[in-house]
Amino acid sequence: MRRFSTGDKVRIDIPDESDPDHERLHDLCGTVVEVISDDVGAVTGDEREGYLFRVKLDDGSTVDVRWRDLRPV
């Protein structure tokens, strides 16, 4: 089960200020440009973890994030 698809506008939400990516990524917006499958879901037992979402941020850079760090715009 994927929550987001290619073309979706998203906002990165990392509210935990102790998370190393909070300062760099929290509250940035972009577009999902690729959905990458991996085997993390099989390891954790949570099928949602089996995807990385490649997001092209509004500034043109790209980042890979898990579903839990994304919200619809």
Side-chain angles (χ1 to χ4, degrees):
M1 174 176 69
R2 291 188 328 213
R3 185 173 175 184
F4 299 100
S5 299
T6 302
D8 288 350
K9 285 286 289 175
V10 294
R11 179 179 60 84
I12 297 176
D13 180 31
I14 305 173
D16 181 356
E17 293 180 4
S18 68
D19 186 303
D21 289 324
H22 172 83
E23 188 172 324
R24 181 174 68 96
L25 297 175
H26 179 68
D27 231 16
L28 296 180
C29 294
T31 303
V32 176
V33 293
E34 187 176 0
V35 179
I36 304 161
S37 296
D38 64 17
D39 63 351
V40 174
V43 173
T44 65
D46 185 343
E47 69 180 48
R48 297 172 296 180
E49 295 292 332
Y51 302 99
L52 273 173
F53 297 90
R54 182 157 291 154
V55 176
K56 183 174 183 180
L57 299 174
D58 290 346
D59 70 4
S61 63
T62 58
V63 295
D64 295 337
V65 293
R66 298 276 175 196
W67 67 273
R68 76 177 79 70
D69 295 329
L70 293 176
R71 304 287 180 269
V73 172

